[in-house]
Amino acid sequence: MADPPPEPTPWSPLEPAPAPAAPPGYVPPPGYGPQPGYGPPPGYGPPPGWVPPPPRPKAGSARTGPLPLHPMGVGDILDGAFKLLRANARSVVLISGALIVPMSFITAFLGRHTLGGQSIFSVLDDPSAVDQSSARAGEIVLLYGSVLARYVLFPFFIGAALSPIVEASYLGGERTAGEALRITSRVLPALIGAWLLCRLLWTFSVVFCILPAFVVSAFFVVVAPALVIERLGAVAAMRRSIRLVRPMFWRVLLISMLAGVIGYFVNNALGTVPQLAAVAIGTQYAWPLLAVGEIVGSLVTLPFVAIVAVLLYYDARIRHEGFDLQLMAADLARGGSAT
């Protein structure tokens, strides 16, 4: 008696279906398969001796991630600024907070008589109840002075103090807040002189028109990093900034304005809630909330704008002085390899 045929192997739908077997005696038809002479057309493909170009060099470190060591676009600069800010957050907060925190509390305390110190709801119910007489003339003068210091003086000096940290982090190293402050203290007289000269020219330009003020701001946007990183004097740093910015003036102006707009919206987004709470409660007693709103926003926005200025400085040096090639040559001279 013949053996029964073997049972078929069960097939699971989770497995690929077996390929159908060719029937016995099957042969491909004549002419099936690659034809003689089949291939890419003549001249197709890389020319003889061609090798792919090396990857573009990168800056940065494991903490920052790769940063562009080549002419940077707008996205490269803004993304690099956020990466450097995040990677050096501790040092940035220590340096920026040393100036921002006490001044924000002083400004908020001097402004506690805003709306007569009352809640905004009380003022809306009875506008005549607002009494500004409790604010003395001396307090008003100090209030305006503290506001000017925060918006005019601090950005320049915070940018200068952060320049050594950003320089080291961008080039793959690391510096602490103490090291950065020691480096900045050595050029403090030149920093003060450069700030005074830049402010004087900016004020003089504002008298005539707003547009010249933007021109002056753009030409001197990299004064602080150039002065601290290259150890220049006040006038030499201003000349250096003009020399670096002139070939890319419109680009620097637009990126600086864009960074300022981003900082403005970020500052409002972070500081609005505590400031609204202070106005709702009444600034006479809730003025510390005004300070908190200023601190939270400024600790992000002022360092961000300062880091953008440092990256614009390096971008100008890469574009017009071959700074990236200098770094690669120095690395090769040390026996390393450019990354």
Side-chain angles (χ1 to χ4, degrees), residues 82 127 172 197 250 290:
F82 280 113
L197 290 174
W250 292 108
L290 291 176

Side-chain angles (χ1 to χ4, degrees), residues 176-265:
T176 64
E179 293 171 337
L181 290 175
R182 283 193 294 271
I183 293 172
T184 306
S185 65
R186 300 189 189 111
V187 294
L188 186 59
L191 276 174
I192 296 174
W195 179 81
L196 289 173
L197 290 174
C198 290
R199 266 311 110 185
L200 182 63
L201 291 174
W202 183 85
T203 304
F204 183 75
S205 63
V206 169
V207 172
F208 291 95
C209 184
I210 296 297
L211 182 59
F214 283 109
V215 173
V216 171
S217 298
F219 273 124
F220 294 140
V221 73
V222 299
V223 167
L227 192 151
V228 175
I229 293 173
E230 300 184 27
R231 310 294 196 273
L232 301 175
V235 176
M238 295 170 68
R239 290 176 178 171
R240 176 69 165 152
S241 180
I242 294 174
R243 193 180 308 118
L244 290 172
V245 170
R246 185 188 294 119
M248 44 190 281
F249 168 78
W250 292 108
R251 186 170 180 276
V252 170
L253 176 61
L254 292 176
I255 293 176
S256 301
M257 294 177 64
L258 180 59
V261 170
I262 292 174
Y264 172 79
F265 283 106

Side-chain angles (χ1 to χ4, degrees), residues 6 27 48 59 124 129 159 166 194-195 216 243 247 279 302 329:
V27 293
L124 291 175
V166 178
W195 179 81
V216 171
R243 193 180 308 118
V279 173
L302 292 184

Side-chain angles (χ1 to χ4, degrees), residues 248-306:
M248 44 190 281
F249 168 78
W250 292 108
R251 186 170 180 276
V252 170
L253 176 61
L254 292 176
I255 293 176
S256 301
M257 294 177 64
L258 180 59
V261 170
I262 292 174
Y264 172 79
F265 283 106
V266 171
N267 184 54
N268 285 343
L270 295 176
T272 296
V273 173
Q275 290 178 342
L276 285 178
V279 173
I281 297 171
T283 54
Q284 183 174 0
Y285 302 105
W287 61 266
L289 290 177
L290 291 176
V292 170
E294 294 288 344
I295 292 168
V296 171
S298 299
L299 285 180
V300 175
T301 56
L302 292 184
F304 170 75
V305 174

Side-chain angles (χ1 to χ4, degrees), residues 1-338:
M1 183 176 180
D3 294 333
E7 296 183 0
T9 304
W11 172 74
S12 170
L14 300 178
E15 300 176 357
Y26 170 81
V27 293
Y32 179 81
Q35 302 299 316
Y38 175 79
Y44 179 81
W50 180 85
V51 293
R56 305 182 82 176
K58 296 291 183 182
S61 63
R63 293 167 56 246
T64 64
L67 297 171
L69 189 60
H70 53 76
M72 304 179 217
V74 177
D76 293 327
I77 290 177
L78 296 179
D79 179 65
F82 280 113
K83 285 182 177 179
L84 289 164
L85 179 61
R86 183 179 63 250
N88 301 280
R90 183 174 181 273
S91 297
V92 167
V93 169
L94 288 175
I95 291 177
S96 304
L99 293 175
I100 293 172
V101 172
M103 187 57 69
S104 295
F105 275 102
I106 292 173
T107 304
F109 178 76
L110 294 174
R112 69 191 184 281
H113 298 297
T114 303
L115 300 178
Q118 302 183 56
S119 165
I120 185 63
F121 302 109
S122 301
V123 174
L124 291 175
D125 291 338
D126 184 12
S128 62
V130 177
D131 180 16
Q132 298 288 354
S133 61
S134 57
R136 298 176 182 177
E139 290 183 347
I140 294 176
V141 172
L142 290 175
L143 173 62
Y144 282 109
S146 62
V147 171
L148 286 175
R150 180 179 175 274
Y151 288 102
V152 177
L153 180 65
F154 286 1
F156 184 85
F157 285 92
I158 288 175
L162 293 180
S163 293
I165 294 175
V166 178
E167 175 202 16
S169 188
Y170 178 72
L171 299 180
E174 185 177 358
R175 276 199 183 103
T176 64
E179 293 171 337
L181 290 175
R182 283 193 294 271
I183 293 172
T184 306
S185 65
R186 300 189 189 111
V187 294
L188 186 59
L191 276 174
I192 296 174
W195 179 81
L196 289 173
L197 290 174
C198 290
R199 266 311 110 185
L200 182 63
L201 291 174
W202 183 85
T203 304
F204 183 75
S205 63
V206 169
V207 172
F208 291 95
C209 184
I210 296 297
L211 182 59
F214 283 109
V215 173
V216 171
S217 298
F219 273 124
F220 294 140
V221 73
V222 299
V223 167
L227 192 151
V228 175
I229 293 173
E230 300 184 27
R231 310 294 196 273
L232 301 175
V235 176
M238 295 170 68
R239 290 176 178 171
R240 176 69 165 152
S241 180
I242 294 174
R243 193 180 308 118
L244 290 172
V245 170
R246 185 188 294 119
M248 44 190 281
F249 168 78
W250 292 108
R251 186 170 180 276
V252 170
L253 176 61
L254 292 176
I255 293 176
S256 301
M257 294 177 64
L258 180 59
V261 170
I262 292 174
Y264 172 79
F265 283 106
V266 171
N267 184 54
N268 285 343
L270 295 176
T272 296
V273 173
Q275 290 178 342
L276 285 178
V279 173
I281 297 171
T283 54
Q284 183 174 0
Y285 302 105
W287 61 266
L289 290 177
L290 291 176
V292 170
E294 294 288 344
I295 292 168
V296 171
S298 299
L299 285 180
V300 175
T301 56
L302 292 184
F304 170 75
V305 174
I307 293 172
V308 167
V310 178
L311 291 181
L312 284 172
Y313 163 79
Y314 278 118
D315 182 47
R317 292 191 62 183
I318 289 170
R319 289 175 183 269
H320 310 303
E321 297 178 352
F323 180 71
D324 53 337
L325 301 179
Q326 297 174 25
L327 288 180
M328 288 188 286
D331 191 55
L332 291 174
R334 291 192 300 267
S337 58

